[in-house]
């Protein structure tokens, strides 16, 4: 029974570790190509880009045309904000943008210098979880995963040692194990 519980615990820890590694890879590997993740906070681009999604933006792409979805900077009251909208036209060197769910175009033109990059893809709903992460949360998560893996290895080693001890004891007493 104990061996069975150890195996179940080991498989659960392995599964959690694998999911964590996959999640980290999904967010880290696109950065190799210059694609940065941003959390979508509003529904202005529904249904193309969902509220609560993590949108990946190609920060290396500097060529934009009507129909492209871009993320750009705007000055807010106390901070700089990022907006992800579709380019619907061009006036001189500047772009006219509009959220797909909005009835009218954005009031101000967007300069090429404001544009962070072009939308590549999204992971729907991942922003709800990612928005809760901070350095402390990530550190605690890494600690717990390392701790669980350490516990799993220790239990596995203890189980192996116990099994070896049982075999030696049976051999010395002359009984065979089935």
């Amino acid at each position: 029974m104990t061996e069975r519980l150890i195996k179940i615990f080991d498989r659960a820890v392995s599964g959690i570790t694998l999911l964590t590694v996959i999640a980290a890879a999904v967010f880290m590997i696109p950065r190799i190509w210059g694609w940065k993740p941003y959390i979508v906070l509003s529904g202005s681009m529904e249904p193309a880009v969902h509220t609560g999604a993590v949108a990946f933006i190609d920060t290396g792409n500097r060529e934009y045309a009507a129909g492209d979805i871009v993320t750009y900077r705007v000055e807010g009251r106390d901070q700089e904000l990022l907006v992800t909208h579709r380019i619907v036209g061009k006036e001189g060197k500047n772009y006219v943008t509009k959220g797909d769910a909005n009835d009218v175009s954005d009031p101000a033109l967007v300069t090429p210098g404001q544009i962070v990059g072009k939308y590549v893809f999204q992971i729907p709903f991942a922003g709800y979880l990612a928005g809760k992460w901070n350095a402390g949360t990530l550190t605690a998560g890494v600690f717990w995963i390392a701790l669980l893996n350490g516990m799993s290895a220790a239990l596995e080693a203890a189980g192996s040692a116990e099994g070896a001890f049982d075999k030696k004891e049976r051999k010395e007493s002359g009984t065979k194990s089935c």
Side-chain angles (χ1 to χ4, degrees), residues 99-171:
D100 288 359
N102 298 344
D103 293 331
V104 296
S105 299
D106 299 334
L109 294 175
V110 176
T111 67
Q114 287 176 273
I115 298 178
V116 173
K118 189 189 304 189
Y119 168 84
V120 182
F121 71 95
Q122 68 180 310
I123 302 174
F125 309 112
Y128 292 121
L129 179 61
K132 305 282 187 222
W133 296 345
N134 60 36
T137 307
L138 291 175
T139 301
V142 168
F143 170 78
W144 278 107
I145 288 171
L147 180 67
L148 289 172
N149 277 284
M151 288 172 57
S152 179
L155 288 170
E156 183 85 22
S160 294
E162 186 179 298
F165 180 74
D166 287 346
K167 284 181 184 176
K168 182 179 177 186
E169 190 176 85
R170 276 184 250 137
K171 186 177 181 183

Side-chain angles (χ1 to χ4, degrees), residues 9-70:
F9 181 77
D10 186 48
R11 286 188 178 141
V13 169
S14 294
I16 291 168
T17 302
L18 179 63
L19 287 174
T20 303
V21 168
I22 290 170
V26 165
F27 285 96
M28 299 307 289
I29 290 174
R31 291 176 186 253
I32 293 169
W33 295 284
W35 300 352
K36 292 179 91 175
Y38 294 97
I39 298 171
V40 179
L41 300 175
S42 79
S44 66
M45 281 302 295
E46 293 281 355
V49 183
H50 302 288
T51 305
V54 171
F56 287 82
I57 307 302
D58 183 354
T59 59
N61 191 332
R62 293 287 167 217
E63 299 201 15
Y64 313 110
D68 289 343
I69 298 172
V70 295

